[in-house]
Amino acid sequence: MNVAGMYNRPIDKQEAIRLIRAAYDRGVTLFDTAEVYGPFLSEELVGEALAPVRNRVVIASKFGFNVDLNTGAVGPGHNSRPEHIKRATEGSLRRLKTDYIDLQYQHRVDPSVPIEDVAGAVQDLIREGKVRHFGLSGAGGATIRRAQKVLQVTAVQNEYSIWTRDPELEVLQACEELGIGLVAWSPLGMGYLTGTVTPRTALGQEDLRASMTRFTPEARRANWQIVELLQRVANRKQATPGQVALAWLLARKPWIVPIPGTTTRKHMEQNMDALALSLSAADLKEINDGFAGIRVQGARLNAELLAGIDIGAKLGTSSKGGHGMSPLP
């Protein structure tokens, strides 16, 4: 997402390819992309960068936004009609320079298509050998359970970090019960938890964060105590706040995998170094107790993006006793 310019402008093509290959050389084996990143640009970069090592990596992509498959124009709403899923997957395969996608997610729950139909379409792709595993992104507990009855859900990719706890409502429980991995996107709070996005940082109009109330200068000032909490632990560990944020996620459950994005090799190396950071029970208690006394200011997404997150996958909602955003068959 980052190299395709979702926060700022896309980085240079050759620089992006070098970065992805450097991550592989460092030991990264899971690369996450989507047709809507760019659109199409991220998949093209990932495909070219990983072509020489395709069989030694796991490539995850996503369908589900209303992307014109010819022009790349993104329309309103979502599109997970089975015929569209299959056409979108063909495009992703072409851009990724591969004949199979390891993990294909529905990017967002489509309120006009039953999740059973979505799972059925991906099941067809698995039978054809074009997809190996099925995932959901932005999904709540009811949707996850409905999909699981049709096809094994391998992973759920939802936003999760120290300052975004929405999966703790019901998604973590569903994943643990059903043997599903949780892939935590934005584990560094879109850069904020690293301490590099200060209250004084200017966000350009093209920066997605500029549309989010959590990233107003006032909210960044109010929320800075979260960074200070991470910094106190980091100072003792000779680490960075971002590394502590990643280590906290890694300590939650063995089946939680954070996917930090970056545009620089330096930050990629810093993120990877979090694997060597061990947080003690006392460290985790300090972080959790400290956060419990902080009231996070601002919504984690803008209103339009938050509306696309499933019932039960965002604060203030629950899918228990319901069927989620996805209509019943």
Side-chain angles (χ1 to χ4, degrees):
M1 177 173 172
N2 297 52
V3 298
M6 301 300 284
Y7 294 128
N8 291 289
R9 294 180 180 179
I11 67 174
D12 174 77
K13 176 182 176 180
Q14 293 307 316
E15 184 179 348
I17 290 171
R18 284 193 295 270
L19 174 62
I20 294 168
R21 288 179 177 166
Y24 170 77
D25 290 340
R26 179 63 199 267
V28 175
T29 55
L30 171 62
F31 293 86
D32 183 271
T33 183
E35 65 168 3
V36 78
Y37 299 161
F40 304 154
L41 175 59
S42 176
E43 288 185 324
E44 292 169 353
L45 294 170
V46 168
E48 185 166 344
L50 297 179
V53 294
R54 174 64 189 98
N55 294 330
R56 297 195 288 275
V57 295
V58 171
I59 295 178
S61 195
K62 312 178 197 73
F63 62 83
F65 278 96
N66 190 18
V67 180
D68 186 300
L69 301 180
N70 295 315
T71 67
V74 182
H78 303 91
N79 189 344
S80 281
R81 297 191 307 272
E83 64 275 14
H84 183 84
I85 292 172
K86 294 176 181 180
R87 288 184 59 223
T89 298
E90 293 292 346
S92 292
L93 288 167
R94 184 175 62 254
R95 289 184 292 272
L96 290 167
K97 300 182 185 300
T98 185
D99 56 3
Y100 67 95
I101 296 170
D102 295 282
L103 175 56
Q104 181 73 313
Y105 292 97
Q106 181 191 38
H107 209 152
R108 291 291 182 268
V109 175
D110 189 331
S112 64
V113 180
I115 193 62
E116 291 82 0
D117 294 349
V118 175
V122 176
Q123 189 171 52
D124 290 343
L125 291 165
I126 290 174
R127 288 172 179 151
E128 294 170 12
K130 296 174 180 177
V131 168
R132 293 191 171 176
H133 298 279
F134 174 43
L136 300 172
S137 183
T143 300
I144 295 167
R145 295 177 191 280
R146 287 172 57 194
Q148 176 80 2
K149 290 180 180 179
V150 177
L151 178 63
Q152 173 66 47
V153 178
T154 294
V156 171
Q157 184 178 139
N158 285 12
E159 184 176 3
Y160 191 30
S161 67
I162 285 173
W163 76 340
T164 296
R165 302 296 189 92
D166 305 48
E168 295 175 2
L169 298 170
E170 61 183 50
V171 170
L172 291 184
Q173 179 182 353
C175 287
E176 189 150 39
E177 287 180 10
L178 299 174
I180 299 169
L182 183 91
V183 175
W185 65 265
S186 198
L188 296 174
M190 302 184 189
Y192 185 80
L193 299 178
T194 67
T196 60
V197 184
T198 72
R200 296 182 298 277
T201 302
L203 301 177
Q205 290 186 340
E206 73 280 2
D207 193 316
L208 185 62
R209 295 169 294 188
S211 67
M212 301 173 186
T213 56
R214 191 173 285 190
F215 280 90
T216 64
E218 295 77 17
R220 280 182 271 161
R221 276 192 292 273
N223 293 328
W224 195 249
Q225 55 191 317
I226 302 170
V227 178
E228 292 174 336
L229 171 63
L230 295 173
Q231 186 68 67
R232 286 196 294 273
V233 177
N235 286 342
R236 292 200 306 269
K237 302 285 186 177
Q238 295 184 315
T240 67
Q243 288 169 341
V244 173
L246 291 173
W248 177 85
L249 272 172
L250 291 167
R252 300 292 283 170
K253 297 286 183 180
W255 41 267
I256 292 177
V257 178
I259 48 169
T262 184
T263 58
T264 70
R265 182 163 181 166
K266 176 185 175 182
H267 290 157
M268 180 274 290
E269 296 282 0
Q270 283 184 350
N271 293 338
M272 289 298 290
D273 286 343
L275 290 168
L277 178 60
S278 178
L279 297 179
S280 67
D283 295 328
L284 294 170
K285 185 177 188 302
E286 179 181 352
I287 294 168
N288 292 328
D289 289 352
F291 180 78
I294 298 171
R295 184 176 179 182
V296 179
Q297 301 296 308
R300 64 181 175 96
L301 296 171
N302 62 38
E304 180 183 3
L305 292 175
L306 200 57
I309 301 295
D310 194 17
I311 298 167
K314 54 189 173 186
L315 294 178
T317 69
S318 172
S319 71
K320 294 177 181 177
H323 57 79
M325 283 175 55
S326 176
L328 295 173

